[in-house]
């Protein structure tokens, strides 16, 4: 198994994911872990702006195709896009390169499937405006009879600020306090961290909320661990 990580969307979320992935494969010797290849493609156009305004969409899709191709040429057997919003463009990617389907672990589809196995009927989704606007989580969750409760407009503003704090590597005590309060105010018992920056700030909380919090990237890590014959966490952040 060779894990290919398409990162850089943003960089600090990729760094955090790589550390979590490495920590998930305990080893006495380095060669006991799977090989990992990272393309930290931070020069790609904005995924959210491409969705909301059509800005540089073709360039973005071409960049995604190029990065996945690069990872596969490097020997990757499994590819993970370390960005929820980028999954909104996978249909465009597959139209150009249909063979990529068998390599990409679709973290949103995987998350929906695993939540359905836990008989979860409703979740609160923390995600970017672009991800919410496309309805991609609704698309996959609804297949399993799961309803997504979406953030209100004022909550989206807060979420954007939390995401930017991670992207700028500037998670202050004030940001942590506000994020903790935000999670505690969510009325739903089940929460999806549907943006790869959000698990970074969630991981810094000293006191976690008394809720069931799921990270799609953790489901992907669990999928890789299963292939490696290791125990899994069940997607819990």
């Amino acid at each position: 198994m060779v894990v290919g990580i398409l990162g850089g969307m943003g960089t600090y979320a990729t760094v955090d994911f790589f550390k979590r992935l490495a920590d998930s494969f305990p080893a006495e010797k380095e060669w006991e872990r799977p090989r990992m290849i990272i393309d930290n493609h931070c020069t790609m156009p904005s995924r959210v702006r491409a969705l909301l305004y059509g800005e540089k969409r073709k360039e973005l899709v071409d960049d995604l195709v190029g990065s996945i191709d690069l990872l596969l040429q490097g020997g990757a057997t499994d590819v993970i896009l370390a960005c929820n919003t980028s999954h909104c463009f996978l249909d465009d990617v597959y139209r150009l390169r249909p063979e990529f389907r068998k390599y990409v672990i679709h973290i949103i589809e995987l998350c929906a499937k695993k939540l359905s196995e836990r008989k979860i009927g409703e979740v609160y989704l923390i995600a970017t405006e672009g991800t919410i606007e496309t309805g991609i989580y609704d698309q996959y969750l609804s297949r399993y009879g799961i309803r997504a409760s979406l953030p209100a407009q004022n909550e989206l503003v807060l979420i954007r600020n939390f995401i930017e704090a991670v992207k700028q590597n500037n998670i202050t005590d004030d940001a942590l306090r506000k994020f903790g309060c935000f999670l505690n105010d969510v009325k739903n018992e089940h929460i999806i961290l549907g943006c790869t920056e959000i698990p970074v700030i969630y991981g810094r909380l000293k006191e976690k909320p008394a809720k069931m919090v799921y990270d799609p990237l953790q489901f992907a890590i669990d999928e890789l661990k299963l292939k490696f014959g290791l125990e899994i966490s069940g997607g819990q952040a």
Side-chain angles (χ1 to χ4, degrees), residues 180 183-184 199 201-211 213 237:
L183 291 180
N184 283 319
I201 190 169
Y202 180 81
R204 301 277 185 90
L205 290 178
K206 292 180 180 178
E207 293 185 15
K208 302 291 194 294
K211 299 177 188 293
V213 178

Side-chain angles (χ1 to χ4, degrees), residues 112-147:
K113 179 183 176 184
K114 294 301 181 182
L115 292 182
S116 74
E117 292 173 359
R118 291 158 175 75
K119 311 296 183 186
I120 294 169
E122 184 176 348
V123 294
Y124 178 85
L125 175 64
I126 300 177
T128 65
E129 289 124 310
T131 299
I132 290 171
E133 185 76 18
T134 62
I136 188 169
Y137 264 96
D138 283 325
Q139 174 188 341
Y140 285 99
L141 290 170
S142 63
R143 291 180 184 178
Y144 296 96
I146 303 171
R147 179 179 177 274

Side-chain angles (χ1 to χ4, degrees), residues 79-81 83-84 86-91 94 100-101 103-113 136-137 139-140 143 216-217 219-220 223:
V79 174
I80 297 175
L81 278 62
C83 168
N84 282 261
S86 66
H87 288 69
C88 300
F89 303 93
L90 276 179
D91 284 345
Y94 294 153
F100 285 178
R101 284 184 183 272
Y103 299 102
V104 174
I105 296 178
H106 196 300
I107 64 173
I108 296 176
E109 183 176 12
L110 181 61
C111 177
K113 179 183 176 184
I136 188 169
Y137 264 96
Q139 174 188 341
Y140 285 99
R143 291 180 184 178
L217 279 178
F219 283 121
E223 194 79 355

Side-chain angles (χ1 to χ4, degrees), residues 34-106:
R35 181 181 174 189
M36 303 176 200
I37 306 170
I38 301 174
D39 181 7
N40 197 62
H41 200 155
C42 53
T43 55
M44 273 195 280
S46 165
R47 280 67 57 200
V48 172
R49 294 189 66 83
L51 288 170
L52 296 181
Y53 313 116
E55 184 179 286
K56 298 183 178 179
R57 185 179 181 113
K58 183 180 183 304
E59 180 183 336
L60 173 58
V61 172
D62 288 343
D63 280 352
L64 289 169
V65 169
S67 281
I68 296 172
D69 198 34
L70 184 67
L71 293 169
L72 294 177
Q73 287 182 37
T77 57
D78 299 88
V79 174
I80 297 175
L81 278 62
C83 168
N84 282 261
T85 311
S86 66
H87 288 69
C88 300
F89 303 93
L90 276 179
D91 284 345
D92 293 339
V93 168
Y94 294 153
R95 273 191 284 272
L96 295 172
R97 300 293 295 274
E99 69 274 17
F100 285 178
R101 284 184 183 272
K102 63 182 179 182
Y103 299 102
V104 174
I105 296 178
H106 196 300

Side-chain angles (χ1 to χ4, degrees), residues 126 176-177 179-191 193 201-214 236-237:
I126 300 177
L176 287 171
R177 180 186 61 78
F179 184 61
C181 291
F182 173 79
L183 291 180
N184 283 319
D185 287 343
V186 172
K187 292 181 173 56
N188 201 299
E189 181 187 350
H190 301 278
I191 300 174
L193 306 183
I201 190 169
Y202 180 81
R204 301 277 185 90
L205 290 178
K206 292 180 180 178
E207 293 185 15
K208 302 291 194 294
K211 299 177 188 293
M212 301 297 288
V213 178
Y214 305 95
Q236 288 295 126

